[in-house]
Amino acid sequence: RRGQAAQPGQERDGGVTPTAPSPRLHLGLPMWANPDWRGTLYPPHGGGLEEYARVFGTVEGNTTFYSGAPRAETVAAWARQAPPDFRFCFKLPALLTHERRLAGVEAELDAFLEALSPLHDRLGPLMVQLPRDFGAEELPRLDALLARWPANLPCAVEVRHPEFFHKGAAEISLNRLLISHGVDRVMLDVRPLFSTPASGHPGLQKAQGEKPKRPLHVLSTGERPLVRFIGHLDMAINEGYFEAWIPRLALWIKQGKTPWLMVHTPDNRQAPELARRLHARLAEACSLPPLGAFPGEAQAALF
């Protein structure tokens, strides 16, 4: 079964007692390059992958969704800059998911995965984000894609068609398909984002226009449950909606699964701070290691 996580521990031979798996959560943001984070997450003139990876252990790779496979020299640079335990969660290009709708994309998929091969040991779940009108009748295409997906490469699928959120035949078929392949279903939590009207705020209005307003269905169909938490501008609203995630993420960790939490805010200016707050809440419940200090704040403290 694809996506099965190895359980850490020691051999029983010789009377050695197995070690318990240490709690693990991969926490990240939508990108690492954002000038708005200078002075907090980054120093005034910083903002590179190396600085980002000192704090966060993963990142969404949205650039590949719009631009396709990165150039070889770009991938080589990422491979040099990212530490061994860092994980990239790139999205499949929109050419494959939205334009071709997964039909006849074998050659393009192979080329995309080959372009990322220098990062083979640092790839988290690659995300297959499907169009809003990709419904149950097209699930055989998704099944064919996942059937030829490399067994050693994690994958997560994000659906947006309304029929996959009604707990009817379409959703049952989708979940069974994902379970059969050991692939996780992305859980897109937009409740904070849509909790209030935009009230003329451009960033909030833009985000509400871009993100699909779908119910949140919490389930893990594989071993790497992946949550995309789309926050509000109001931190109190965010923390209120995140409260119920704490026991759920703790449960998955206790079960030996490895959750992934990607934190967004409407314009992403507040995303690092929100991620830090959410991690602090989780650390209390799951005994997680502390998050690294923000390099920008650490530099400011020197002066």
Side-chain angles (χ1 to χ4, degrees), residues 41-286:
L41 179 60
Y42 297 137
H45 301 289
L49 175 58
E50 289 179 282
E51 290 169 315
Y52 174 90
R54 293 174 194 166
V55 180
F56 298 104
T58 188
V59 68
E60 284 189 17
N62 290 319
T63 180
T64 55
F65 179 80
Y66 300 103
S67 305
R71 295 179 299 176
E73 55 268 31
T74 300
V75 176
W78 294 342
R80 290 193 305 269
Q81 295 165 10
D85 59 348
F86 190 83
R87 297 293 180 266
F88 296 89
C89 296
F90 295 108
K91 287 183 182 177
L92 241 57
L95 170 66
L96 281 64
T97 56
H98 287 58
E99 295 182 33
R100 302 280 289 276
R101 304 180 73 87
L102 304 185
V105 299
E106 292 82 5
E108 290 85 352
L109 175 65
D110 291 346
F112 178 71
L113 298 181
E114 177 61 28
L116 299 178
S117 60
L119 297 169
H120 67 92
D121 59 339
R122 277 165 284 185
L123 291 177
L126 298 189
M127 287 186 277
V128 182
Q129 187 181 93
L130 297 173
R132 299 188 191 202
D133 60 349
F134 189 103
E137 74 282 355
E138 294 181 276
L139 283 180
R141 296 182 184 177
L142 177 61
D143 190 18
L145 177 84
L146 298 179
R148 69 187 308 276
W149 194 272
N152 62 343
L153 185 61
C155 178
V157 173
E158 181 178 318
V159 293
R160 297 187 168 191
H161 196 294
E163 67 181 356
F164 292 129
F165 296 87
H166 292 163
K167 300 185 179 180
E171 184 168 16
I172 291 172
S173 296
L174 168 69
N175 292 340
R176 285 177 176 171
L177 187 159
L178 297 178
I179 291 170
S180 70
H181 290 288
V183 168
D184 283 281
R185 176 174 172 175
V186 174
M187 289 161 275
L188 183 68
D189 189 355
V190 296
R191 296 173 303 158
L193 176 65
F194 288 100
S195 62
T196 70
S199 302
H201 190 285
L204 189 57
Q205 187 173 10
K206 183 174 184 290
Q208 290 181 351
E210 292 176 347
K211 295 293 188 291
K213 190 176 182 180
R214 299 286 182 262
L216 173 64
H217 288 189
V218 179
L219 74 163
S220 175
T221 56
E223 297 299 322
R224 300 172 179 86
L226 195 156
V227 179
R228 300 180 70 217
F229 187 83
I230 316 299
H232 193 277
L233 296 171
D234 187 322
M235 287 291 176
I237 290 176
N238 295 329
E239 294 186 8
Y241 279 102
F242 190 73
E243 190 69 28
W245 277 115
I246 297 173
R248 175 63 62 171
L249 291 165
L251 174 63
W252 284 330
I253 291 173
K254 184 178 180 180
Q255 292 173 339
K257 299 189 177 188
T258 305
W260 301 70
L261 176 61
M262 304 298 188
V263 179
H264 300 234
T265 56
D267 54 16
N268 284 317
R269 292 179 181 177
Q270 297 172 296
E273 176 57 27
L274 176 57
R276 179 162 59 179
R277 291 188 182 207
L278 301 186
H279 181 273
R281 298 297 309 280
L282 278 169
E284 297 174 359
C286 307

